[in-house]
């Protein structure tokens, strides 16, 4: 056992730092500081992800044969940590982290050739068609029908909570291809183009008050949408297996590096904000105690992630321990956004609908309160999603009880 | 970066685990606790001779097996699983720890005595007024000729009834809570003027109130530098905290296992109570607490040789995690066992008692949160 990094790892860290310094330009930084949900707008996202792609760092978790860098666990850790501490945008996960591993594991050669390269270059934006209005935590109860008609499936139904559907070129989608006694059977996994006739998107503005067109989630309606059978992944009726495989990737992230950056931000805010006792808020005993408690929670998660990821090769799923990371990670995210809101004080109240308008030169009106205040409440509100999405935290408990405790 | 154990380390764990499996059943332990002496001197001999674990964390120069704090972690985790009462912590981790870093002329001989099982030490540091402050000392060591004279009262000295020697912290100068003026002594427990009042502890160990009444000790009883002992004390106590974190992980692991097993066989409303979702979620949270505690124990242990600042920060963070988790896992274990958890006859209650004492040993959650906060927030840019 040893925590020390080898000299070549330290050299790698310098390389990552130098690259971030040069690629993560002031415009991106300013935009990111005003993000309400950790993303930029589509143009910003694509710009950033393409920069990563040019460096060969877009898909760091992919196996080498598909364009991954083939890093050691130490390199992954260093990369994650440096990127997170710099506060860079989160790459859109739907293509890179979610559908890509499924295509690699279960897709045909043709599907791999067609879909993986544009994911790597961020030329195609993906969205996820899992939840339905009647199927949330009970995902396997999903009802969207896909009926065979010649060499097509005809889709009718609707998907909901679809992140960035309005920006997406393609969707990966769970559909019901047959009615079986056990709802897990009869589900198939399809890839479809979002410009197929019969698809309509309805924005679902969330509590954080997104600008029109930048909403995070949507409902997507399907009316006689024709999808070639050749767009199916793997076998008909086996979709549930592929869907669960994908979910382990969706949940099995390293959360701690991002959390450390969030802690760094709240510490900075608390050093600026006044306590009302003639000192800065960071000197307030109650506040300090809460901040220290959260730092320790994040350190614990970081140590657990190190333990899990140091034993893993690229491209392998985390397994049911991903539920533990998701539980602990999402709880910490929410707790930090809560503390940030508290730190901002009175100026958490003014609502700035478009926090990027001044950057685009669309307004010169000065904001009430400091710049960091505007995203605090929207971010807090937005992050309530973290314990709901990717399987609610209650569902994660169920999964762990079954798969880890054997109950 | 590497989280694997070496083959020797795995062997150490297996050897100790199988010894404890054979010889350290719950009933055997209970008989030891209730016996007049309160421990098994023959097991200590076996630790020294048969298993050789008392030399685990010492370098080969010192006659040890060439290990480090990782070996202490392994031994203590296994001790936690079996609720071992014999004083590995007080003797090997703490007594051995002080000697290792002391530069004392006889350090090698004394460590040899520890490894051989002849020297058993207990750590006399706490005082009735001092709570968790290692520098709050009224005990004095006054220069007297070439040696010193000790006077004072040490509180709850764990393992003192079994000890041949006491590691004593005392003031050779400075005022009651001052950082300077603190010294450490290794004192023969048979020295004239040492009075002890021995008693059992809640968690099945033995301890003493120790009174020093004009106890003359020789010059070479001094461990480290006179008047500048506090940094050494902090280092060794941090090592001891990392060790009891590992012990806590072992105890929590068993409480979680016992609880799962009980919930699977206990039937109510016509079904095993393990089928109830509300209990399943609680047992998942217990599992997460054990895993997070293990991770933090690794981090604290692996950072013991870093700068005093980084070491203290990692150790206090770990102690906060383990303190909170001991409470959570322990209380949940008793609750899920229901009335049976309240009885003396099941092991779970005995793990709970040790876990509860670990929570406060060398500082409560609040104490370490405050220490962490000062190290983390005040030094942040």
């Amino acid at each position: 056992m040893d925590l020390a990094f080898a000299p070549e790892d330290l050299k790698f860290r310098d390389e990552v730092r130098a690259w971030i310094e040069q690629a993560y330009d002031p415009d991106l930084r300013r935009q990111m500081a005003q993000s309400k949900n950790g993303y930029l707008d589509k143009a910003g996202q694509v710009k950033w992800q393409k920069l990563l792609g040019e460096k060969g760092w877009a898909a760091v978790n992919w196996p080498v044969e598909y364009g991954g860098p083939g890093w050691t666990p130490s390199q992954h850790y260093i990369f994650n940590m440096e990127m997170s501490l710099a506060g860079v945008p989160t790459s859109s996960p739907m293509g890179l982290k979610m559908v890509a591993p499924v295509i690699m594991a279960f897709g045909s050669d043709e599907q791999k050739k067609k879909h993986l390269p544009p994911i790597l270059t961020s030329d195609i934006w993906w969205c996820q068609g899992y939840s339905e209005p009647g199927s949330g935590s009970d995902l396997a109860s999903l009802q969207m029908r896909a009926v065979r008609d010649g060499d097509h499936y005809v889709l009718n139904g609707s998907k909901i909570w679809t992140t960035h559907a309005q920006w997406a070129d393609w969707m990966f989608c769970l559909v019901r291809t047959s009615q079986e006694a056990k709802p897990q059977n009869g589900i198939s996994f399809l890839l479809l183009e979002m410009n197929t006739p019969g698809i309509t998107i309805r924005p679902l503005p969330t509590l954080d008050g997104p600008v029109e067109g930048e909403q995070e989630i949507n409902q997507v309606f399907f009316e006689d949408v024709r999808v070639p059978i050749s767009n199916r992944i793997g076998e008909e009726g086996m979709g549930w297996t592929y869907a669960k495989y994908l979910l382990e990737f969706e949940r099995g992230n390293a959360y701690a590096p991002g959390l450390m950056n969030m802690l760094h931000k709240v510490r900075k805010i608390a050093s600026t904000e006044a306590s009302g006792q003639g000192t800065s808020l960071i000197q307030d005993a109650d506040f300090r105690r809460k901040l220290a408690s959260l730092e320790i929670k994040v350190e614990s998660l970081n140590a657990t992630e190190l333990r899990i990821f140091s034993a893993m090769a690229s491209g392998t799923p985390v397994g049911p321990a991903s539920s533990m990371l998701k539980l602990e990670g999402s709880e910490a995210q929410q707790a930090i956004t809560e503390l940030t809101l508290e730190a901002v004080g009175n100026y958490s109240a003014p609502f700035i609908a478009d926090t990027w308008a001044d950057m685009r030169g669309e307004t010169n009106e000065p904001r009430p309160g400091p710049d960091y205040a505007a995203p605090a409440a929207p971010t807090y509100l937005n992050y309530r999603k973290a314990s709901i999405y990717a399987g609610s935290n209650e569902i994660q408990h169920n999964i762990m009880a079954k798969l880890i405790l054997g109950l | 970066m590497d989280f694997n154990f070496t083959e020797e380390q795995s062997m150490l764990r297996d050897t100790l685990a199988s010894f404890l499996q054979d010889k350290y059943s719950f009933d055997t332990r209970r008989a030891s606790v209730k016996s007049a002496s309160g421990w098994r001197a023959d097991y200590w001999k076996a630790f020294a001779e048969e298993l050789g674990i008392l030399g685990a964390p010492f370098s080969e120069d010192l006659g040890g097996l060439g290990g480090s704090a990782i070996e202490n972690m392994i031994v203590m985790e296994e001790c936690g699983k079996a609720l071992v009462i014999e004083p590995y912590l007080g003797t090997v981790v703490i007594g051995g720890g002080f000697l290792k870093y002391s530069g004392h002329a006889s350090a090698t001989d004394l460590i040899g005595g520890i490894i051989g099982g002849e020297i058993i030490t207990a750590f006399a540091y706490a005082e009735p007024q001092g709570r968790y402050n290692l520098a709050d000392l009224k005990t004095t060591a006054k220069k007297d000729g070439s040696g010193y004279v000790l006077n004072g009262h040490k509180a709850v000295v764990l393992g003192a009834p079994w000890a041949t020697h006491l590691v004593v912290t005392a003031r050779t100068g400075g005022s009651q809570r001052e950082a300077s003026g603190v010294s450490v002594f290794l004192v023969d427990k048979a020295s004239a003027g040492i009075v002890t009042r021995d008693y059992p502890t809640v968690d099945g160990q033995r301890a003493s109130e120790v009174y020093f009444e004009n106890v003359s000790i020789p010059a070479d009883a001094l461990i480290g530098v006179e008047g500048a002992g506090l940094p050494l004390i902090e280092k060794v106590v941090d090592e001891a905290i990392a060790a009891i974190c590992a012990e806590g992980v072992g105890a929590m692991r068993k409480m979680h296992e016992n609880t799962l097993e009980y919930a699977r066989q206990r039937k109510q409303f016509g079904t095993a109570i393990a089928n109830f979702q509300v209990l399943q979620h609680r047992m998942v949270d217990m599992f997460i607490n054990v895993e997070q505690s293990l991770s933090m124990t690794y981090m604290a242990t692996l950072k013991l040789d870093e700068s005093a600042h980084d070491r203290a920060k990692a150790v206090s963070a770990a102690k906060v995690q383990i303190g909170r988790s001991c409470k959570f896992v322990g209380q949940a274990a008793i609750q899920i066992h229901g009335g049976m958890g309240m009885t003396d006859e099941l092991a779970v209650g005995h793990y709970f008692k040790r876990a509860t004492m670990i929570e406060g040993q060398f500082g409560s959650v609040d104490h370490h949160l405050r220490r962490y906060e000062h190290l983390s927030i005040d030094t942040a840019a």
Side-chain angles (χ1 to χ4, degrees), chain A residues 26-350:
Chain A
D27 275 355
L28 285 169
R29 278 173 206 262
R30 263 201 306 277
Q31 206 182 341
M32 215 28 216
Q34 290 296 317
S35 168
K36 295 175 180 178
N37 59 6
Y39 291 113
L40 303 174
D41 55 11
K42 186 179 181 184
Q45 282 291 140
V46 172
K47 176 182 167 189
W48 174 248
Q49 290 178 208
K50 278 190 164 292
L51 284 170
L52 280 166
E54 284 158 21
K55 180 70 185 165
W57 291 351
V60 297
N61 291 308
W62 288 17
V64 179
E65 53 174 315
Y66 297 112
W71 285 341
T72 61
S74 293
Q75 285 177 305
H76 280 288
Y77 176 75
I78 289 168
F79 180 75
N80 264 335
M81 194 53 89
E82 294 302 323
M83 295 286 273
S84 296
L85 292 181
V88 305
T90 314
S91 289
S92 174
M94 279 82 73
L96 285 162
K97 283 192 174 167
M98 292 159 68
V99 77
V102 171
I103 293 173
M104 288 173 204
F106 306 108
S108 66
D109 286 345
E110 209 169 308
Q111 287 168 334
K112 289 179 197 174
K113 224 177 289 166
K114 175 173 174 158
H115 293 296
L116 295 177
I119 292 176
L120 195 58
T121 53
S122 294
D123 285 319
I124 295 290
W125 192 287
W126 284 84
C127 66
Q128 177 181 27
Y130 267 35
S131 291
E132 294 180 9
S135 305
S137 289
D138 183 10
L139 181 61
S141 70
L142 62 92
Q143 289 302 325
M144 188 157 107
R145 297 292 303 274
V147 178
R148 273 181 187 253
D149 178 29
D151 50 9
H152 281 75
Y153 288 113
V154 179
L155 275 54
N156 277 288
S158 130
K159 291 290 174 182
I160 200 167
W161 321 130
T162 316
T163 300
H164 294 153
Q166 76 275 26
W167 298 346
D169 306 297
W170 280 77
M171 172 190 268
F172 57 90
C173 190
L174 297 178
V175 295
R176 184 157 300 285
T177 39
S178 69
Q179 296 289 343
E180 315 262 339
K182 196 171 178 232
Q184 283 81 355
N185 300 338
I187 293 172
S188 297
F189 193 109
L190 300 184
L191 312 179
L192 58 92
E193 284 190 87
M194 288 299 281
N195 63 7
T196 315
I199 295 179
T200 47
I201 297 171
R202 184 168 75 96
L204 293 169
T206 38
L207 301 177
D208 45 307
V211 176
E212 212 183 312
E214 307 227 332
Q215 74 277 7
E216 195 170 339
I217 53 178
N218 303 275
Q219 184 167 4
V220 183
F221 297 91
F222 294 79
E223 210 185 323
D224 294 328
V225 174
R226 296 180 67 81
V227 177
I229 288 173
S230 59
N231 281 14
R232 191 187 66 224
I233 292 284
E235 290 172 49
E236 189 173 280
M238 288 295 289
W240 186 248
T241 305
Y242 315 144
K244 283 194 301 183
Y245 182 79
L246 180 144
L247 283 170
E248 285 185 10
F249 285 95
E250 183 179 0
R251 295 167 190 147
N253 296 310
Y255 290 82
L259 292 166
M260 287 180 186
N261 182 49
M262 291 170 79
L263 283 169
H264 176 70
K265 280 193 206 154
V266 66
R267 206 188 287 135
K268 239 167 89 181
I269 292 173
S271 312
T272 310
E273 281 289 325
S275 69
Q277 312 294 322
T279 61
S280 65
L281 184 61
I282 199 81
Q283 297 303 327
D284 179 272
D286 294 326
F287 187 86
R288 288 166 67 93
R289 209 59 46 85
K290 280 189 267 193
L291 178 57
S293 248
L294 278 175
E295 289 186 342
I296 290 171
K297 190 175 168 70
V298 171
E299 284 200 28
S300 297
L301 182 60
N302 184 46
T304 297
E305 289 177 355
L306 271 175
R307 214 151 53 78
I308 291 175
F309 291 115
S310 70
M312 262 178 57
S314 292
T316 47
V318 180
S322 62
S323 292
M324 175 165 68
L325 303 186
K326 198 264 169 172
L327 264 177
E328 292 292 292
S330 59
E331 279 179 12
Q333 284 173 336
Q334 294 181 332
I336 300 171
T337 61
E338 193 179 322
L339 191 67
T340 308
L341 175 65
E342 190 185 320
V344 166
N346 289 329
Y347 279 114
S348 63

